[in-house]
Amino acid sequence: MTRAASSVPLAHRLARGLVVGLAAAGPLFWLLGRLPAQQWDEARTGLNALEILVNGDALVLTHRGVPDLWNSKPPLLPWLQALSMLVLGPTELALRLPSALAALATVGAVYRAGSRWLGSWRAGLLAALVLLSAPGYVRLHVARTGDYDALLTLWTTLGALAWLAYAATGRARHAWGAGAAFALAVLTKGVAGLFFGPGLLAALWLTGQLRRLRAGAPGPGWGWWPGPRWPGTWGREAGSARATWPGVWQYEVGGAGRGGSGGGTATPVHWYAWELATAKFSYWLPAALAGAGLGWAAPRQSRAWWLCRVLGATAGTMLLVISLVPTKLGWYDAPAYPLLALLAAAGLIGLGRLVAASVAAQGRRYPRPAVRLLAVLLVAAVPYSAQLVRTRGSTDARLQEAALMYGGHLRAQTQRLPGLRDYALHDDGRLNDSPEFYAAVQRYQHGHRVARVTPESAVAGAAAPRVVVACGEPAQRTWQRYYRTRVLLRSDSCVTLQLQDRR
């Protein structure tokens, strides 16, 4: 805590923190549990977490009861999700709550850093509002779903801010704090936790503090630790191609194992920059660039000088690193947004102070604190409101993909057909763990016996299931092509079908 901050009455600090918390409530928590578990990483990690509760094994991540060889991430997020589900039950809210709380903590860290390094709690509030209104951060697969990236971003933000403090002060505790934060980032998402490394070195070079690297090596060195070699999970030596660092590189960085959002290896190098400029940070990008420029124009060794140079180098280098690797996905740039939010606040606050000084030089009164607070709120009003509209619209996605509708239907089925305990879920052969997650929930909560089958395998099998749950008209028609059926329950686009004789 700075001397200026310590002189502020506790009641004022609590009131300001409450304002930030209320501002974060809408974008981060409103309608958080309304969207079904999403098809890719969210449902997969949710299933990993639920199987921790079922199997009682927190070290070996499993999928359908066997070690998960597809998900090569470390286990920190599934641990937190398992704890959340243990307290709240295996719901969508419990699945996403660790990510939402991590996003809230990140907003708090940005607020505190802006207040400290830009000299005003209003500057911290502006930085928090910038982050809360950034479409690239408050979105599915980052702050609004149970994926790895919100938790990763919390650790990388804390690590970058600790490194900023270390560069400016030389205190070893900040270096150790940075090392601990990046170790947690590695424990969250493996090699992605190291992408800030080149930027941290560039920040020392730009501030003339490379001599601190030797003194701080033990602390930041934690961030280069390759992670625990959990038996059966990340770093496994069970013969899988993903058990080695080349396998992790192939699937998590190199692109051979995953397709990119913008076309995989065909995605141009400037794709992230284009996304920032046109959609994901377009409203605030000019201010962030202006803030980065303050790193060169601000008085040397001033707090703004340190903030803009260190965070500008870290964010810019990180974006360059992820632009050069073949795999490009829309959420890989998530860790950059808190730093960009601070840079945008620095640019706007710097501009505002220049205007205020010019007004004061003409003999007019310097704007009062209430006027400056109103200016902050007005600047952020439009993008913040737009973010709330996007948040409300994102829940409509639950109606657009029938394969994600199983959760709501199974809950209705449990209430309206309580005697039905043995049934199957339609499987169209696609990689989609959302139905499997909800099947596991039914097994865990109600002791149901649930399998996933295709119509063809049921016809070929000696004992076909008597009851099948199918979501979407195509799935329903497929079963009705092979069997005469009777509808037991219908909700939205899902049906529970009793299979009678074969056609």
Side-chain angles (χ1 to χ4, degrees):
M1 182 180 297
T2 64
R3 183 175 301 175
S6 63
S7 65
V8 178
L10 177 61
H12 289 186
R13 295 202 301 271
L14 292 176
R16 294 168 181 176
L18 180 61
V19 169
V20 176
L22 291 175
L28 299 183
F29 294 95
W30 183 39
L31 303 174
L32 186 63
R34 189 166 180 177
L35 197 66
Q38 294 298 287
Q39 181 172 357
W40 302 116
D41 293 351
E42 182 180 49
R44 189 85 177 199
T45 56
L47 192 57
N48 292 151
L50 188 55
E51 292 194 10
I52 288 176
L53 299 181
V54 172
N55 303 327
D57 188 346
L59 294 183
V60 180
L61 295 183
T62 60
H63 178 261
R64 298 190 183 187
V66 299
D68 191 351
L69 299 180
W70 186 87
N71 181 8
S72 62
K73 305 293 191 303
L76 182 56
L77 178 63
W79 287 348
L80 297 177
Q81 290 175 327
L83 179 61
S84 180
M85 291 180 190
L86 184 64
V87 175
L88 301 177
T91 64
E92 292 88 352
L93 178 61
L95 176 61
R96 295 175 183 135
L97 191 59
S99 293
L101 291 176
L104 178 63
T106 304
V107 171
V110 166
Y111 163 73
R112 188 178 184 278
S115 301
R116 174 187 178 186
W117 293 94
L118 297 176
S120 165
W121 81 273
R122 290 172 292 274
L125 176 61
L126 178 58
L129 291 173
V130 171
L131 183 59
L132 288 168
S133 60
Y137 181 72
V138 183
R139 54 161 290 178
L140 303 184
H141 215 294
V142 185
R144 294 284 304 180
T145 51
D147 295 285
Y148 293 93
D149 299 275
L151 187 61
L152 170 70
T153 300
L154 169 62
W155 305 133
T156 56
T157 301
L158 293 177
L161 294 176
W163 194 248
L164 165 63
Y166 175 66
T169 66
R171 295 175 182 170
R173 62 185 177 90
H174 295 308
W176 284 98
F182 285 109
L184 288 169
V186 170
L187 190 57
T188 298
K189 204 178 178 184
V191 293
L194 305 177
F195 284 175
F196 270 16
L200 302 179
L201 299 179
L204 292 183
W205 177 71
L206 283 177
T207 55
Q209 302 299 320
L210 279 176
R211 68 182 185 278
R212 299 206 192 282
L213 184 60
R214 179 180 302 174
W222 288 4
W224 298 95
W225 174 50
R229 305 191 68 80
W230 302 118
T233 57
W234 190 62
R236 63 176 52 82
E237 296 175 313
S240 168
R242 308 189 67 185
T244 61
W245 269 109
V248 173
W249 178 269
Q250 174 186 357
Y251 280 86
E252 303 301 329
V253 182
R258 295 182 184 268
S261 290
T265 56
T267 306
V269 171
H270 64 270
W271 185 66
Y272 288 111
W274 177 258
E275 289 287 299
L276 284 174
T278 59
K280 298 165 74 173
F281 205 67
S282 56
Y283 187 90
W284 300 112
L285 187 59
L289 294 175
L294 288 177
W296 303 99
R300 186 174 178 81
Q301 305 296 318
S302 66
R303 289 188 174 183
W305 184 88
W306 283 110
L307 176 81
C308 297
R309 286 208 170 198
V310 172
L311 299 191
T314 304
T317 305
M318 180 264 183
L319 289 170
L320 177 62
V321 168
I322 63 174
S323 295
L324 293 177
V325 299
T327 299
K328 294 180 178 63
L329 294 171
W331 48 89
Y332 280 8
D333 59 355
Y337 289 101
L339 310 191
L340 293 175
L342 284 164
L343 291 173
L348 292 169
I349 293 297
L351 178 61
R353 286 172 178 166
L354 287 176
V355 173
S358 176
V359 169
Q362 298 176 7
R364 302 178 184 178
R365 179 178 296 179
Y366 197 85
R368 295 181 177 180
V371 174
R372 284 176 268 162
L373 176 60
L374 180 60
V376 166
L377 297 178
L378 288 176
V379 167
V382 171
Y384 182 85
S385 300
Q387 182 57 56
L388 292 180
V389 172
R390 283 190 297 270
T391 297
R392 174 62 184 86
S394 69
T395 63
D396 294 336
R398 74 189 194 282
L399 304 175
Q400 298 172 5
E401 179 60 60
L404 303 181
M405 299 294 290
Y406 285 91
H409 182 79
L410 291 177
R411 282 191 288 266
Q413 177 179 287
T414 301
Q415 294 177 355
R416 296 172 61 180
L417 300 173
L420 180 57
R421 304 175 60 84
D422 194 342
Y423 50 91
L425 300 187
H426 170 79
D427 192 335
D428 60 6
R430 291 188 299 166
L431 177 61
N432 183 4
D433 280 308
S434 185
E436 186 64 32
F437 170 73
Y438 288 114
V441 169
Q442 294 299 102
R443 300 185 195 105
Y444 175 72
Q445 284 193 308
H446 307 291
H448 288 185
R449 295 177 292 275
V450 191
R452 288 180 69 182
V453 297
T454 65
E456 294 79 7
S457 66
V459 170
R466 296 186 60 186
V467 177
V468 171
V469 177
C471 289
E473 287 295 326
Q476 180 179 345
R477 288 196 302 268
T478 301
W479 283 97
Q480 291 170 338
R481 186 167 65 247
Y482 289 99
Y483 291 90
R484 290 183 175 87
T485 63
R486 182 168 71 90
V487 176
L488 301 180
L489 178 66
R490 185 183 299 273
S491 69
D492 292 327
S493 64
C494 297
V495 292
T496 300
L497 299 173
Q498 185 176 45
L499 304 184
Q500 298 174 338
D501 56 318
R502 298 179 182 175
R503 291 186 181 277

